[in-house]
């Protein structure tokens, strides 16, 4: 199964988590692909069987600037080939920001819902105020994701 990993990051932490997710999924036997600053043509060329979004949150609960062009393009086109694909989201944020905590991840969940992507696991929320090792903290959830995708 081919898993495309989409990421958006402000300071690089979400990209590190995405790269780690790629390694974990490859070790589990998946053809995982992540390219920072990927565009829609890159994703369609890979022809994914599943989607994973890993994104931090910026400003007032928004997506990082480096993910906005891809997000906007996907939202404008809504690729029909992705309807029904399994997918999941890892959101990074800081719970001290209250209502906007993991807002970028919530935006990706909403986009996946618009696309008709089946959410196979609830969004993983990685809280910057509680962890200094988000890659390691994501591993149990990534193992669950691998198991869910194999079903």
């Amino acid at each position: 199964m081919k898993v495309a990993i989409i990421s958006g990051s402000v300071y690089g932490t979400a990209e590190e988590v995405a790269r780690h997710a790629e390694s974990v999924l490859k070790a589990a036997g998946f053809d995982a692909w992540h390219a920072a600053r990927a565009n829609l043509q890159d994703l369609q060329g890979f022809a994914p069987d599943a989607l994973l979004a890993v994104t931090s949150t910026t400003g007032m609960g928004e997506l990082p600037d480096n993910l906005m062009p891809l997000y906007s393009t996907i939202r404008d086109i809504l690729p029909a080939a992705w309807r029904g694909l399994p997918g999941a989201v890892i959101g990074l944020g800081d719970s001290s920001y209250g209502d906007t905590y993991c807002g970028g991840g919530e935006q990706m969940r909403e986009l996946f819902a618009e696309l008709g992507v089946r959410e196979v696991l609830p969004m993983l929320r990685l809280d910057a105020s509680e962890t200094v090792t988000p890659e390691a903290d994501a591993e149990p959830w990534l193992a669950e994701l691998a198991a869910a995708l194999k079903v």
Side-chain angles (χ1 to χ4, degrees), residues 33-114:
W33 173 84
H34 169 253
R37 293 160 187 70
N39 61 41
L40 184 58
Q41 289 176 318
D42 296 334
L43 285 167
Q44 290 176 322
F46 179 68
D49 301 308
L51 298 167
L52 172 61
V54 182
T55 184
S56 57
T57 301
T58 187
M60 296 300 294
E62 292 120 17
L63 290 167
D65 289 343
N66 66 343
L67 183 53
M68 281 306 298
L70 177 60
Y71 172 87
S72 297
T73 301
I74 292 171
R75 191 157 192 196
D76 290 346
I77 294 173
L78 296 174
W82 295 354
R83 180 163 298 286
L85 293 183
V89 176
I90 297 175
L92 287 82
D94 186 328
S95 61
S96 68
Y97 284 88
D99 292 344
T100 62
Y101 174 54
C102 290
E106 290 296 344
Q107 284 186 338
M108 289 306 298
R109 285 184 71 220
E110 290 170 13
L111 177 63
F112 280 5
E114 286 180 45

Side-chain angles (χ1 to χ4, degrees), residues 24-38:
V24 169
L25 291 172
K26 282 182 176 180
F30 293 93
D31 180 5
W33 173 84
H34 169 253
R37 293 160 187 70

